Amino acid sequence: MEIITPDIEFKRKLGRLSGARLSQCMQCGNCSAVCSLAPGERPFPRKEMLWSAWGLKDKLIGNADIWLCHQCGDCSTHCPRDVKPADVISAVRLQSYAHYARPRFMGQMLASPGWLPMALAMPVLVIMAILSLAGTFKIPEGPVDYSAFFPHIWLNSTFTAITLLFYLLAFLGLVRFWKDMKKRTPPGEQGMKRLPLFKVLGEILSHSSFAACGSRQWRKWAHMLLFFGFALLILVTLYAIWATITHNYPLPLSNPFKVAGNVASLMIYSGLGIMVFQRLTNKDVFGKNTYADWLLLVAIALLTLSGTLVQMARFGDWSMAYHLYFFHLVAVWFVIMYLPFTKLGHIFYSTTALLYARSIGRK
Ligand code: SF4
Ligand code: SF4
């Protein structure tokens, strides 16, 4: 006999985040029938809608299916009661970031607008402290040289250490998530297969799940532009770190990696442009725009824009170059270091859920 423990506060939060009237769901199953990603056996999102209406947090958090959904919105479009299952699933994902975040306050800090000043103050104060320790917390004289403001050795070592610390904490959260998935959706009689790393990597790179939704292909292209733009930027950043170590920095504008960095920025601008336009004009698909959605889009836009301006300021010898550079570093922190605790954390959670689902044969 299974003991069911409803969590009414969790249900209220889901309702607030999604804007859905959860108790209105009549379990007709339309949503699961139209979902092109739902497996034949125990399909989603109908069962998740029932659990949401009952406030069954334990069943929803740690449920791999929540992360297999790509929020195409088909289920919401076809729901006869307008319960917005796509928004509900998205709200469960948002609650999952906070649930698995360690330390807990990191998850709460990035989930609520009231905590935004604190989330901004943390990188500002830490960067100021590092600059003070390095003895360079002042505007350098002469032509713009960012390394005179933030010496490479300090920048590389401190930012790498802080990123690794946050990602290690995220890894511990993912281990808990994995254990929860095993509990909620145990492997069948055949047990678990070897982790299908290459298969999952292929699915992610090809965006095959996005392609399954034939009616909204722009989502696939917008996501691909952002995904590959980001991947390219990370590659360029790694090269830039290497160039600082080998004293080949700064790079001239004609350097292939510099060109690649600017191409990546253009890809991100394009992907963001499509997403913001669709969010503002296509409410049927996106449903309720949440704080987490806008926080992520604005943070990525500011990161990319400040990166472009920092580059222009160096070549143009702008007087405000160092202020822009400081702002850019805060934006880097916000997007890259906070990644596991924001909506961008879906990179980790979706990948882990895909690995689990495919290794137990869930298609
Ligand atoms: S969410 Fe809508 S479509 Fe899905 S089962 Fe409930 S009423 Fe039916
Ligand atoms: S949003 Fe799309 S992928 Fe997600 S459950 Fe609904 S129909 Fe399926």
Side-chain angles (χ1 to χ4, degrees):
M1 187 174 68
E2 191 178 359
I3 297 174
I4 289 175
T5 321
D7 183 333
I8 299 305
E9 187 44 38
F10 177 77
K11 178 184 172 180
R12 284 202 190 107
K13 259 195 202 163
L14 276 190
R16 272 199 303 274
L17 280 170
S18 63
R21 289 163 300 157
L22 297 165
S23 307
Q24 297 278 314
C25 171
M26 61 179 179
Q27 287 291 297
C28 65
N30 262 10
C31 47
S32 294
V34 297
C35 176
S36 43
L37 296 179
E41 206 180 302
R42 288 178 290 115
F44 58 86
R46 187 194 62 83
K47 64 182 187 313
E48 282 74 15
M49 293 307 291
L50 181 67
W51 297 341
S52 301
W54 287 356
L56 300 187
K57 178 180 177 185
D58 290 346
K59 279 193 173 291
L60 287 162
I61 302 273
N63 168 18
D65 287 359
I66 290 298
W67 300 94
L68 304 184
C69 155
H70 279 267
Q71 219 186 342
C72 64
D74 280 351
C75 51
S76 292
T77 308
H78 290 88
C79 172
R81 302 297 286 265
D82 195 25
V83 195
K84 306 186 178 83
D87 289 2
V88 175
I89 297 223
S90 170
V92 176
R93 284 194 294 259
L94 290 182
Q95 299 240 52
S96 302
Y97 300 123
H99 179 82
Y100 290 111
R102 290 293 181 277
R104 273 186 191 278
F105 80 87
M106 291 294 289
Q108 284 156 3
M109 185 172 75
L110 289 152
S112 146
W115 286 92
L116 183 60
M118 177 69 106
L120 286 168
M122 187 188 283
V124 169
L125 293 176
V126 173
I127 294 171
M128 281 165 64
I130 298 169
L131 291 176
S132 301
L133 279 174
T136 55
F137 191 29
K138 56 184 179 305
I139 304 292
E141 309 249 320
V144 173
D145 175 4
Y146 295 124
S147 68
F149 179 64
F150 204 146
H152 290 143
I153 181 86
W154 283 88
L155 177 65
N156 293 343
S157 56
T158 55
F159 268 48
T160 306
I162 296 166
T163 308
L164 288 179
L165 174 68
F166 281 169
Y167 284 28
L168 175 68
L169 292 171
F171 177 74
L172 298 179
L174 289 175
V175 171
R176 291 175 54 230
F177 175 48
W178 186 271
K179 284 184 186 159
D180 283 350
M181 283 191 293
K182 266 182 129 171
K183 228 187 289 167
R184 314 271 183 267
T185 321
E189 282 171 11
Q190 291 166 348
M192 285 182 80
K193 292 185 219 147
R194 219 162 41 149
L195 286 186
L197 286 172
F198 291 108
K199 191 175 172 214
V200 167
L201 188 65
E203 274 189 54
I204 293 171
L205 292 180
S206 66
H207 280 55
S208 55
S209 301
F210 281 89
C213 179
S215 59
R216 293 178 182 122
Q217 283 298 300
W218 54 263
R219 289 191 76 254
K220 176 184 164 187
W221 295 113
H223 199 272
M224 279 185 115
L225 282 164
L226 274 179
F227 180 89
F228 287 110
F230 245 101
L232 198 53
L233 265 191
I234 288 170
L235 205 68
V236 170
T237 306
L238 291 176
Y239 177 78
I241 292 173
W242 173 248
T244 60
I245 294 168
T246 54
H247 305 290
N248 287 321
Y249 203 82
L251 306 172
L253 207 49
S254 56
N255 182 288
F257 280 90
K258 200 83 186 156
V259 175
N262 286 311
V263 170
S265 298
L266 283 177
M267 290 166 72
I268 293 175
Y269 287 134
S270 312
L272 277 178
I274 300 172
M275 281 193 180
V276 170
F277 178 76
Q278 292 292 340
R279 274 201 175 275
L280 293 174
T281 58
N282 210 341
K283 289 253 164 70
D284 283 352
V285 177
F286 280 108
K288 193 173 178 214
N289 286 313
T290 62
Y291 169 70
D293 295 322
W294 286 116
L295 181 72
L296 180 61
L297 291 175
V298 171
I300 293 177
L302 290 177
L303 168 69
T304 318
L305 184 65
S306 60
T308 308
L309 290 174
V310 160
Q311 176 184 251
M312 289 165 72
R314 174 163 79 83
F315 289 112
D317 229 357
W318 295 0
S319 58
M320 61 190 305
Y322 297 103
H323 299 91
L324 284 169
Y325 185 53
F326 190 94
F327 182 87
H328 180 60
L329 293 175
V330 173
V332 168
W333 181 303
F334 215 95
V335 175
I336 305 298
M337 298 187 192
Y338 282 159
L339 182 148
F341 313 108
T342 66
K343 206 181 160 188
L344 206 53
H346 76 269
I347 296 173
F348 291 162
Y349 288 96
S350 296
T351 308
T352 308
L354 259 181
L355 274 172
Y356 182 76
R358 301 304 181 242
S359 66
I360 61 167
R362 189 150 176 78
K363 300 210 169 61

